[in-house]
Amino acid sequence: MTTSLSILGSISREDFLRDYWQKKPLLIRQALPGFIPPLDIDELAGLALEETVESRIVMEQGSDGPWQAFNGPFEESFFETLPEENWTLLVQAVDHLLPEVGAVLQHFDFLPRWRMDDVMISYAPIGGSVGPHIDYYDVFLLQASGQRRWRLGQFCDESTPLLPNTRLKILTDFQANPEQDWVLEPGDLLYLPPQLAHWGTSLSEDCTTWSVGFRALSAEEALCGAADFIGERLREDQRYTDADLTLPRHTAEIDDAALERLQKLLQQVINSPAALSEWFGRAMTQTKYADQLIPQDTDWTTATLNELIEYAEATENLLAVSEGSRLAFRSAAEGQWLFADGEAWFYSASLQPWIEDLCRRFTFDTQFIKLALHNSESATLLLHLINQGSIYLLDEDAGDEQPLH
């Protein structure tokens, strides 16, 4: 029997993954009915003033030409110079900054958490847009306020012509599909698979859109990253050999046999399930920004955890996964790893149920911490996560936080 998730409307999780995920778009009316964004336009603009926040403004007609982009942080005076229409503010990784924004990710628990990238929030007055373009990753577009018109087009690739003289990847030939031309209202959700051309335009003064994006390693990133990681672990005596060498037709020729030997060598060294597992887990949980984690000034110990739970109620949430942190695990024949924000630790197979519970949660109550303290290995892993900043201590009144509805 299949199960449904409210954010997918009448579509079951299984049907969505089979029929839509990375295949075709899906519009879900009132995926989050009654949705009220937890920050307003002024607060979003305030984030764009911060030095540590990644932001940009796109103007359809800038002083230097069409589709001009400006990178933050911005001065308040810059906003005062903007025209009344036809520009867009985009603020990246707002879920890393505000837990109440990150809570929306809990609605996407039918997808791997380690695939999630961030929640970007955009604001645009009437006519605001970033032009017809494509993304190389999956994205869910949640209309938070106002109205935005979305027009979808053709699937594109690296050879698709782009508009010259702009840093933005604007398509020169947008082939609009008249059957996929929709106006989204607050609470509506639009899923777009990778490489599908799309063009969103604000129809109101208060248009804000939340973009839930997903990580997708390029072949170059995977090849170079895995090769570097595995290369550091190779022995000096693992070299090209040609004991089967026969008399060459020409002494300067690199023949097919030589290439076959090279290919065999590369296949031998890359065929390391343990190394690939560890590299992939580290890569897919790596933080979005290098200085994102805030480690403890003084390392916690089991004594710290015991002191924390001494007077707490059994169901009280004391700890939480840091905003933007990624936890994942791999349990396979080659071993068991817990991954968190680019780090990796081995764990015993007997700890599997606890690891799965750890990676499923967003907050941790007294009962969970007590269970971790019953086993030295789980206690050590929990302390690793706390001390490196992947898990942090909630404020006194934060235990009652609930996901957005």
Side-chain angles (χ1 to χ4, degrees), residues 91-167:
V91 182
Q92 208 75 42
V94 183
D95 57 309
H96 293 24
L97 308 171
L98 302 174
E100 54 270 35
V101 172
V104 78
L105 296 176
Q106 297 182 38
H107 290 288
F108 297 91
D109 66 351
F110 54 98
L111 297 166
R113 280 171 64 177
W114 50 266
R115 280 277 266 120
M116 295 181 183
D117 191 14
D118 70 341
V119 178
M120 180 186 72
I121 299 181
S122 66
Y123 160 73
I126 293 175
S129 173
V130 296
H133 67 284
I134 63 168
D135 299 310
Y136 285 102
Y137 52 84
D138 303 88
V139 64
F140 289 87
L141 301 165
L142 172 65
Q143 193 61 28
S145 64
Q147 295 81 37
R148 182 180 291 274
R149 178 190 181 190
W150 285 103
R151 286 176 285 170
L152 309 188
Q154 73 277 26
F155 279 95
C156 304
D157 57 29
E158 194 71 17
S159 65
T160 302
L162 301 177
L163 191 70
N165 304 320
T166 175
R167 291 186 291 125

Side-chain angles (χ1 to χ4, degrees), residues 335-349:
Q336 292 84 29
W337 290 269
L338 170 65
F339 305 104
D341 299 319
E343 298 297 327
W345 301 274
F346 288 107
Y347 64 85
S348 304

Side-chain angles (χ1 to χ4, degrees), residues 306-359:
N306 279 306
E307 182 180 349
L308 178 67
I309 66 176
E310 185 175 358
Y311 301 107
E313 297 179 5
T315 58
E316 182 179 353
N317 287 325
L318 303 177
L319 303 171
V321 177
S322 297
E323 285 68 47
S325 282
R326 299 176 176 90
L327 274 62
F329 68 85
R330 175 159 172 77
S331 178
E334 64 268 19
Q336 292 84 29
W337 290 269
L338 170 65
F339 305 104
D341 299 319
E343 298 297 327
W345 301 274
F346 288 107
Y347 64 85
S348 304
S350 61
L351 209 61
Q352 188 63 34
W354 184 84
I355 291 290
E356 293 188 14
D357 191 24
L358 168 76
C359 293

Side-chain angles (χ1 to χ4, degrees), residues 2-3 51 74 97 108 123 187 215 239 243 287 315 353 361 397:
T2 59
T3 57
E51 186 74 32
F74 299 101
L97 308 171
F108 297 91
Y123 160 73
R215 286 186 165 187
R239 292 175 177 268
T287 54
T315 58
R361 291 172 174 258
D397 297 327

